Amino acid sequence: MNAYVPLVSVADGGLLIPADEVTALLRRLAGGWLESVYDGGTDLDPGTTLGLAEALVELADQIDVECIGFMPLADGDEEDAPPP
């Protein structure tokens, strides 16, 4: 069984981070902001916070899509792939 972990790297290639950890962090951060605003535990502007949270979730989604595009076909996936 082959395991594939998509990674995110910085421009100089020196740092590699599993993409699922990055996207989970972005989504947790957005959720934390929204929860703080909802609970009234912060002075953040609700509209601005919602906009920033949406931007973080969109970034996480974009990273997920980019990583899916790089994933190789699994051994059994060739059967399901459309003919060339």
Side-chain angles (χ1 to χ4, degrees):
M1 178 170 144
N2 294 332
Y4 177 76
V5 179
L7 300 174
V8 174
S9 64
V10 293
D12 67 2
L15 175 67
L16 297 176
I17 304 169
D20 62 334
E21 291 181 23
V22 173
T23 58
L25 174 65
L26 292 171
R27 289 185 173 97
R28 278 195 310 269
L29 182 58
W33 286 348
L34 294 175
E35 187 176 323
S36 292
V37 168
Y38 179 75
D39 291 343
T42 184
D43 292 334
L44 298 174
D45 174 66
T48 302
T49 305
L50 177 60
L52 291 171
E54 286 176 349
L56 289 181
V57 171
E58 286 177 17
L59 177 59
D61 291 345
Q62 182 180 359
I63 292 170
D64 285 340
V65 168
E66 293 293 326
C67 288
I68 289 169
F70 283 106
M71 292 194 61
L73 291 176
D75 293 337
D77 289 346
E78 286 92 13
E79 297 170 4
D80 299 329

Coordinates of all heavy atoms in Angstrom, one line a residue:
M1 N 0.8 -1.2 0.0 CA 0.0 0.0 0.0 C 0.9 1.2 0.0 O 1.8 1.3 0.8 CB -0.9 0.0 1.2 CG -1.8 1.2 1.4 SD -2.9 0.8 2.7 CE -3.1 2.4 3.4
N2 N 0.6 2.1 -0.9 CA 1.4 3.4 -1.0 C 0.6 4.5 -0.3 O -0.6 4.7 -0.5 CB 1.6 3.8 -2.4 CG 2.5 2.8 -3.1 OD1 3.3 2.2 -2.5 ND2 2.3 2.7 -4.4
A3 N 1.3 5.2 0.6 CA 0.7 6.4 1.3 C 1.2 7.6 0.7 O 2.4 7.7 0.4 CB 1.0 6.3 2.8
Y4 N 0.4 8.6 0.4 CA 0.8 9.8 -0.2 C 0.3 11.0 0.7 O -0.9 11.0 1.0 CB 0.2 10.0 -1.6 CG 0.5 11.3 -2.2 CD1 1.7 11.5 -2.8 CD2 -0.4 12.3 -2.3 CE1 2.1 12.7 -3.4 CE2 -0.1 13.5 -2.9 CZ 1.1 13.7 -3.4 OH 1.4 14.9 -4.0
V5 N 1.2 11.8 1.1 CA 0.9 12.9 2.0 C 1.3 14.2 1.2 O 2.4 14.5 1.0 CB 1.7 12.9 3.3 CG1 1.4 14.1 4.2 CG2 1.4 11.6 4.1
P6 N 0.3 15.0 0.8 CA 0.6 16.2 0.1 C 1.2 17.2 1.0 O 0.9 17.3 2.2 CB -0.8 16.7 -0.4 CG -1.8 15.9 0.2 CD -1.2 14.7 0.9
L7 N 2.2 17.9 0.5 CA 3.0 18.8 1.4 C 2.9 20.3 0.8 O 2.7 20.4 -0.4 CB 4.5 18.4 1.4 CG 4.7 17.0 2.0 CD1 6.2 16.7 1.9 CD2 4.3 17.0 3.4
V8 N 3.1 21.2 1.7 CA 3.1 22.6 1.3 C 4.6 23.1 1.6 O 5.1 22.8 2.7 CB 2.1 23.5 2.1 CG1 2.3 24.9 1.8 CG2 0.7 23.0 1.8
S9 N 5.2 23.8 0.7 CA 6.5 24.3 1.0 C 6.6 25.8 0.7 O 5.8 26.4 0.0 CB 7.5 23.6 0.0 OG 7.3 23.9 -1.3
V10 N 7.6 26.4 1.4 CA 7.8 27.8 1.2 C 8.6 28.0 -0.1 O 9.1 27.0 -0.7 CB 8.6 28.4 2.4 CG1 7.7 28.4 3.6 CG2 9.9 27.7 2.7
A11 N 8.8 29.2 -0.6 CA 9.4 29.5 -1.8 C 10.8 28.9 -2.0 O 11.2 28.4 -3.0 CB 9.4 31.0 -2.1
D12 N 11.6 29.0 -0.9 CA 13.0 28.5 -1.0 C 13.0 27.0 -0.8 O 14.1 26.4 -0.9 CB 13.9 29.1 0.1 CG 13.5 28.8 1.5 OD1 12.6 28.0 1.7 OD2 14.2 29.3 2.4
G13 N 11.9 26.3 -0.6 CA 11.8 24.8 -0.5 C 12.4 24.3 0.8 O 12.5 23.1 1.0
G14 N 12.6 25.2 1.8 CA 13.2 24.7 3.0 C 12.3 24.1 4.0 O 12.7 23.4 4.9
L15 N 11.0 24.4 3.9 CA 10.0 24.0 4.9 C 8.9 23.2 4.2 O 8.3 23.7 3.3 CB 9.4 25.2 5.6 CG 8.3 24.9 6.6 CD1 8.9 24.2 7.8 CD2 7.7 26.3 7.1
L16 N 8.7 22.0 4.7 CA 7.6 21.2 4.2 C 6.6 20.9 5.3 O 7.0 20.5 6.4 CB 8.1 19.9 3.6 CG 9.0 20.1 2.4 CD1 9.5 18.7 1.9 CD2 8.3 20.7 1.2
I17 N 5.3 21.1 5.1 CA 4.3 20.9 6.1 C 3.2 20.1 5.4 O 2.8 20.4 4.3 CB 3.7 22.2 6.6 CG1 4.8 23.2 7.1 CG2 2.6 22.0 7.6 CD1 4.3 24.6 7.3
P18 N 2.7 19.0 6.1 CA 1.6 18.3 5.5 C 0.4 19.2 5.3 O 0.0 20.0 6.2 CB 1.2 17.2 6.6 CG 2.5 17.0 7.4 CD 3.2 18.4 7.4
A19 N -0.1 19.2 4.1 CA -1.2 20.1 3.7 C -2.4 20.0 4.6 O -3.1 21.0 4.9 CB -1.5 19.9 2.2
D20 N -2.7 18.8 5.0 CA -3.9 18.6 5.8 C -3.8 19.3 7.2 O -4.8 19.8 7.7 CB -4.3 17.1 6.0 CG -3.2 16.3 6.7 OD1 -2.0 16.7 6.7 OD2 -3.6 15.3 7.3
E21 N -2.6 19.4 7.7 CA -2.3 20.2 8.9 C -2.5 21.7 8.7 O -3.0 22.4 9.6 CB -1.0 19.9 9.5 CG -0.8 18.5 10.0 CD 0.5 18.2 10.6 OE1 1.2 19.1 11.0 OE2 0.9 17.0 10.7
V22 N -2.1 22.2 7.6 CA -2.2 23.6 7.2 C -3.7 23.9 7.1 O -4.2 24.9 7.7 CB -1.4 24.0 6.0 CG1 -1.7 25.4 5.5 CG2 0.1 23.8 6.2
T23 N -4.4 23.2 6.3 CA -5.8 23.5 6.1 C -6.6 23.3 7.4 O -7.5 24.1 7.6 CB -6.4 22.6 5.0 OG1 -6.3 21.2 5.3 CG2 -5.7 22.9 3.6
A24 N -6.3 22.3 8.2 CA -7.0 22.2 9.5 C -6.7 23.4 10.4 O -7.6 23.9 11.0 CB -6.6 20.9 10.2
L25 N -5.5 23.9 10.4 CA -5.1 25.1 11.2 C -5.9 26.3 10.7 O -6.5 27.0 11.5 CB -3.6 25.3 11.1 CG -3.2 26.6 11.8 CD1 -3.4 26.6 13.3 CD2 -1.7 26.9 11.5
L26 N -6.0 26.5 9.4 CA -6.7 27.6 8.8 C -8.2 27.6 9.2 O -8.8 28.6 9.6 CB -6.6 27.7 7.3 CG -5.2 28.0 6.8 CD1 -5.1 27.8 5.3 CD2 -4.8 29.4 7.2
R27 N -8.8 26.4 9.1 CA -10.2 26.2 9.5 C -10.5 26.4 11.0 O -11.5 27.0 11.4 CB -10.7 24.9 9.0 CG -10.8 24.8 7.4 CD -11.4 23.5 7.0 NE -11.7 23.6 5.5 CZ -10.8 23.1 4.6 NH1 -9.8 22.4 5.0 NH2 -11.1 23.2 3.3
R28 N -9.5 25.9 11.8 CA -9.7 26.1 13.3 C -9.6 27.6 13.6 O -10.3 28.1 14.5 CB -8.6 25.3 14.0 CG -9.0 23.8 14.2 CD -8.1 23.1 15.3 NE -6.7 23.4 15.1 CZ -5.9 22.6 14.4 NH1 -6.4 21.5 13.8 NH2 -4.6 22.9 14.3
L29 N -8.7 28.3 13.0 CA -8.5 29.7 13.3 C -9.8 30.5 12.9 O -10.3 31.3 13.7 CB -7.3 30.2 12.5 CG -6.9 31.7 12.7 CD1 -6.7 32.0 14.1 CD2 -5.7 32.1 11.8
A30 N -10.3 30.2 11.7 CA -11.5 30.8 11.3 C -12.7 30.5 12.2 O -13.4 31.4 12.6 CB -11.9 30.4 9.8
G31 N -12.8 29.3 12.6 CA -13.8 28.9 13.5 C -13.7 29.5 14.9 O -14.7 29.9 15.5
G32 N -12.5 29.6 15.4 CA -12.2 30.3 16.6 C -12.6 31.8 16.6 O -13.2 32.3 17.6
W33 N -12.3 32.4 15.5 CA -12.7 33.8 15.4 C -14.2 34.0 15.4 O -14.7 34.8 16.1 CB -12.2 34.4 14.1 CG -10.7 34.7 14.0 CD1 -9.8 34.8 15.1 CD2 -10.0 35.1 12.9 NE1 -8.6 35.1 14.6 CE2 -8.6 35.3 13.3 CE3 -10.3 35.2 11.5 CZ2 -7.6 35.6 12.4 CZ3 -9.3 35.5 10.6 CH2 -8.0 35.7 11.0
L34 N -14.9 33.1 14.6 CA -16.3 33.2 14.6 C -17.0 32.9 15.9 O -17.9 33.5 16.4 CB -16.9 32.3 13.5 CG -16.5 32.7 12.1 CD1 -17.0 31.6 11.1 CD2 -17.0 34.0 11.7
E35 N -16.4 31.9 16.6 CA -16.9 31.5 17.9 C -16.8 32.7 18.9 O -17.7 33.0 19.7 CB -16.2 30.3 18.4 CG -16.8 29.7 19.7 CD -16.1 28.4 20.1 OE1 -15.8 27.6 19.2 OE2 -16.0 28.2 21.3
S36 N -15.6 33.4 18.9 CA -15.4 34.5 19.8 C -16.4 35.6 19.5 O -16.9 36.2 20.5 CB -13.9 35.0 19.6 OG -13.0 34.1 20.1
V37 N -16.6 35.9 18.3 CA -17.6 36.9 17.9 C -19.0 36.5 18.4 O -19.7 37.3 19.0 CB -17.5 37.3 16.4 CG1 -18.7 38.2 16.0 CG2 -16.2 38.0 16.1
Y38 N -19.3 35.3 18.1 CA -20.7 34.8 18.5 C -20.9 34.8 20.0 O -22.0 35.2 20.4 CB -20.9 33.4 17.9 CG -22.2 32.8 18.2 CD1 -23.4 33.2 17.5 CD2 -22.3 31.8 19.2 CE1 -24.6 32.6 17.8 CE2 -23.6 31.3 19.5 CZ -24.7 31.7 18.8 OH -25.9 31.1 19.1
D39 N -19.9 34.4 20.7 CA -20.0 34.4 22.2 C -19.9 35.8 22.8 O -20.1 35.9 24.0 CB -18.9 33.5 22.8 CG -19.2 32.0 22.5 OD1 -20.3 31.7 22.1 OD2 -18.2 31.2 22.6
G40 N -19.5 36.8 22.0 CA -19.3 38.1 22.6 C -18.0 38.3 23.4 O -17.9 39.2 24.2
G41 N -17.1 37.4 23.2 CA -15.8 37.4 24.0 C -14.7 38.2 23.3 O -13.6 38.1 23.7
T42 N -15.0 39.0 22.4 CA -14.0 39.8 21.7 C -14.6 41.2 21.2 O -15.9 41.3 21.1 CB -13.4 39.1 20.5 OG1 -12.4 39.9 20.0 CG2 -14.4 38.8 19.5
D43 N -13.8 42.1 20.9 CA -14.2 43.4 20.4 C -14.1 43.4 18.9 O -14.3 44.5 18.3 CB -13.4 44.5 21.0 CG -13.7 44.7 22.5 OD1 -14.7 44.4 22.9 OD2 -12.7 45.2 23.1
L44 N -13.9 42.3 18.2 CA -13.7 42.2 16.8 C -15.1 42.6 16.1 O -16.1 42.2 16.6 CB -13.3 40.8 16.3 CG -12.0 40.3 16.8 CD1 -11.7 38.9 16.4 CD2 -10.8 41.2 16.3
D45 N -15.0 43.3 15.0 CA -16.1 43.7 14.2 C -16.7 42.4 13.6 O -15.9 41.7 12.9 CB -15.8 44.7 13.1 CG -16.9 45.0 12.2 OD1 -17.9 45.5 12.7 OD2 -16.8 44.6 11.0
P46 N -17.9 42.1 13.8 CA -18.5 40.8 13.3 C -18.4 40.7 11.7 O -18.1 39.6 11.2 CB -20.0 40.9 13.7 CG -20.0 41.7 14.9 CD -18.9 42.8 14.7
G47 N -18.7 41.8 11.0 CA -18.6 41.7 9.6 C -17.2 41.5 9.1 O -17.0 40.7 8.1
T48 N -16.2 42.2 9.7 CA -14.8 42.0 9.3 C -14.4 40.6 9.6 O -13.7 39.9 8.8 CB -13.9 43.0 10.0 OG1 -14.4 44.3 9.6 CG2 -12.5 42.9 9.6
T49 N -14.8 40.1 10.8 CA -14.4 38.8 11.2 C -14.9 37.7 10.3 O -14.2 36.8 9.9 CB -14.8 38.5 12.7 OG1 -14.3 39.6 13.5 CG2 -14.4 37.2 13.2
L50 N -16.2 37.9 9.9 CA -16.8 36.9 9.0 C -16.1 36.9 7.6 O -15.8 35.9 7.1 CB -18.3 37.3 8.7 CG -19.0 36.4 7.7 CD1 -19.0 35.0 8.1 CD2 -20.4 36.9 7.5
G51 N -15.7 38.1 7.1 CA -15.0 38.2 5.9 C -13.6 37.5 6.0 O -13.2 36.8 5.0
L52 N -12.9 37.8 7.1 CA -11.6 37.2 7.2 C -11.7 35.6 7.4 O -10.9 34.9 6.8 CB -10.9 37.8 8.5 CG -10.4 39.2 8.3 CD1 -9.9 39.7 9.7 CD2 -9.3 39.3 7.3
A53 N -12.7 35.2 8.1 CA -12.9 33.8 8.3 C -13.2 33.1 7.0 O -12.7 32.0 6.7 CB -14.0 33.5 9.3
E54 N -14.1 33.7 6.2 CA -14.4 33.2 4.9 C -13.2 33.1 4.0 O -13.0 32.1 3.2 CB -15.5 34.0 4.2 CG -16.8 33.9 4.8 CD -17.9 34.8 4.1 OE1 -17.5 35.7 3.4 OE2 -19.1 34.6 4.4
A55 N -12.3 34.1 4.1 CA -11.1 34.1 3.3 C -10.1 33.0 3.7 O -9.5 32.3 2.8 CB -10.3 35.4 3.4
L56 N -10.1 32.7 5.0 CA -9.2 31.6 5.5 C -9.8 30.2 5.0 O -9.0 29.4 4.6 CB -9.1 31.6 7.0 CG -8.3 32.7 7.6 CD1 -8.3 32.5 9.1 CD2 -6.9 32.7 7.1
V57 N -11.1 30.1 5.0 CA -11.7 28.8 4.6 C -11.5 28.6 3.1 O -11.2 27.5 2.6 CB -13.2 28.8 5.0 CG1 -13.9 27.6 4.4 CG2 -13.3 28.7 6.5
E58 N -11.7 29.7 2.3 CA -11.4 29.6 0.9 C -10.0 29.3 0.6 O -9.7 28.5 -0.3 CB -11.8 31.0 0.2 CG -13.3 31.2 0.1 CD -13.6 32.6 -0.5 OE1 -12.7 33.2 -1.1 OE2 -14.8 33.0 -0.3
L59 N -9.0 29.8 1.3 CA -7.6 29.5 1.1 C -7.4 28.0 1.5 O -6.7 27.3 0.7 CB -6.8 30.4 2.0 CG -5.3 30.1 2.0 CD1 -4.7 30.2 0.6 CD2 -4.5 31.0 3.0
A60 N -8.0 27.5 2.5 CA -7.9 26.1 2.9 C -8.5 25.2 1.8 O -7.9 24.2 1.4 CB -8.6 25.8 4.2
D61 N -9.6 25.6 1.2 CA -10.2 24.9 0.1 C -9.3 24.9 -1.1 O -9.2 23.9 -1.8 CB -11.6 25.5 -0.2 CG -12.7 25.3 0.8 OD1 -12.4 24.4 1.7 OD2 -13.7 25.9 0.8
Q62 N -8.7 26.0 -1.4 CA -7.8 26.1 -2.6 C -6.6 25.2 -2.4 O -6.2 24.5 -3.3 CB -7.4 27.6 -2.8 CG -6.5 27.7 -4.0 CD -6.1 29.2 -4.1 OE1 -6.4 30.1 -3.4 NE2 -5.3 29.4 -5.1
I63 N -6.0 25.2 -1.2 CA -4.9 24.3 -0.9 C -5.3 22.8 -1.1 O -4.6 22.0 -1.8 CB -4.3 24.5 0.5 CG1 -3.7 25.9 0.6 CG2 -3.4 23.4 0.9 CD1 -3.3 26.3 2.0
D64 N -6.5 22.5 -0.6 CA -7.0 21.1 -0.8 C -7.2 20.7 -2.3 O -6.7 19.7 -2.7 CB -8.4 20.9 -0.1 CG -8.3 20.8 1.4 OD1 -7.2 20.5 1.9 OD2 -9.3 21.0 2.1
V65 N -7.7 21.6 -3.1 CA -7.9 21.4 -4.5 C -6.6 21.2 -5.2 O -6.4 20.3 -6.0 CB -8.8 22.5 -5.1 CG1 -8.8 22.4 -6.6 CG2 -10.2 22.5 -4.6
E66 N -5.7 22.1 -4.9 CA -4.3 22.0 -5.5 C -3.6 20.7 -5.2 O -3.0 20.1 -6.0 CB -3.5 23.2 -5.1 CG -3.9 24.5 -5.6 CD -3.8 24.7 -7.1 OE1 -2.9 24.1 -7.7 OE2 -4.7 25.3 -7.7
C67 N -3.8 20.3 -3.9 CA -3.1 19.0 -3.5 C -3.8 17.8 -4.2 O -3.1 16.9 -4.6 CB -3.2 18.9 -2.0 SG -2.0 20.0 -1.2
I68 N -5.1 17.9 -4.3 CA -5.8 16.8 -5.0 C -5.4 16.7 -6.4 O -5.2 15.6 -7.0 CB -7.4 17.0 -4.9 CG1 -7.8 16.8 -3.5 CG2 -8.1 16.1 -5.9 CD1 -9.3 17.2 -3.2
G69 N -5.1 17.8 -7.1 CA -4.6 17.8 -8.5 C -3.3 17.1 -8.6 O -2.9 16.6 -9.7
F70 N -2.5 17.1 -7.5 CA -1.1 16.5 -7.6 C -1.1 15.0 -7.2 O -0.1 14.3 -7.3 CB -0.1 17.2 -6.7 CG 0.3 18.5 -7.3 CD1 -0.1 19.7 -6.9 CD2 1.2 18.5 -8.4 CE1 0.3 20.9 -7.4 CE2 1.6 19.7 -9.0 CZ 1.2 20.9 -8.5
M71 N -2.2 14.5 -6.7 CA -2.3 13.2 -6.2 C -2.2 12.2 -7.3 O -2.9 12.3 -8.3 CB -3.5 12.9 -5.3 CG -3.5 13.7 -4.0 SD -4.7 13.2 -2.8 CE -4.2 11.5 -2.5
P72 N -1.3 11.2 -7.2 CA -1.2 10.1 -8.2 C -2.4 9.2 -8.1 O -3.1 9.1 -7.0 CB 0.1 9.4 -7.8 CG 0.2 9.6 -6.4 CD -0.4 11.0 -6.1
L73 N -2.7 8.5 -9.2 CA -3.8 7.5 -9.2 C -3.3 6.3 -8.3 O -2.2 5.9 -8.5 CB -4.1 7.0 -10.6 CG -4.8 8.1 -11.5 CD1 -5.0 7.5 -12.9 CD2 -6.1 8.5 -10.9
A74 N -4.2 5.8 -7.5 CA -3.9 4.6 -6.8 C -3.9 3.4 -7.7 O -4.4 3.5 -8.8 CB -4.9 4.4 -5.6
D75 N -3.3 2.3 -7.3 CA -3.2 1.1 -8.1 C -4.6 0.7 -8.7 O -4.7 0.3 -9.9 CB -2.6 0.0 -7.4 CG -1.1 0.2 -7.0 OD1 -0.5 1.1 -7.7 OD2 -0.6 -0.4 -6.1
G76 N -5.6 0.7 -7.9 CA -6.9 0.3 -8.4 C -7.7 1.3 -9.1 O -8.7 1.1 -9.8
D77 N -7.2 2.6 -9.1 CA -7.9 3.7 -9.8 C -7.8 3.6 -11.3 O -8.6 4.3 -12.0 CB -7.4 5.0 -9.3 CG -7.9 5.3 -7.9 OD1 -8.8 4.6 -7.4 OD2 -7.3 6.2 -7.2
E78 N -6.9 2.9 -11.9 CA -6.7 2.9 -13.3 C -8.0 2.3 -14.0 O -8.4 2.6 -15.1 CB -5.5 2.1 -13.7 CG -4.2 2.8 -13.5 CD -3.6 2.5 -12.1 OE1 -4.1 1.5 -11.5 OE2 -2.7 3.2 -11.7
E79 N -8.6 1.4 -13.2 CA -9.8 0.7 -13.8 C -11.0 1.8 -13.9 O -11.8 1.7 -14.8 CB -10.3 -0.4 -12.9 CG -9.3 -1.5 -12.7 CD -9.7 -2.5 -11.6 OE1 -10.8 -2.3 -11.0 OE2 -8.9 -3.4 -11.4
D80 N -11.0 2.7 -13.0 CA -12.1 3.7 -13.0 C -11.8 4.9 -13.8 O -12.7 5.7 -14.1 CB -12.4 4.1 -11.5 CG -12.8 3.0 -10.6 OD1 -13.5 2.0 -11.2 OD2 -12.5 3.0 -9.4
A81 N -10.6 5.1 -14.2 CA -10.2 6.2 -15.0 C -10.8 6.1 -16.4 O -10.8 5.1 -17.0 CB -8.7 6.3 -15.1
P82 N -11.2 7.3 -17.0 CA -11.7 7.3 -18.4 C -10.6 6.9 -19.3 O -9.4 7.2 -19.1 CB -12.2 8.7 -18.6 CG -11.5 9.5 -17.5 CD -11.2 8.6 -16.4
P83 N -10.9 6.3 -20.4 CA -9.9 5.9 -21.4 C -9.3 7.1 -22.0 O -9.9 8.2 -22.2 CB -10.7 5.1 -22.5 CG -12.1 5.4 -22.2 CD -12.3 5.9 -20.8
P84 N -8.0 7.0 -22.4 CA -7.3 8.2 -23.0 C -7.8 8.6 -24.3 O -8.4 8.0 -25.0 CB -5.8 7.8 -23.1 CG -5.8 6.3 -22.8 CD -7.1 5.9 -22.3

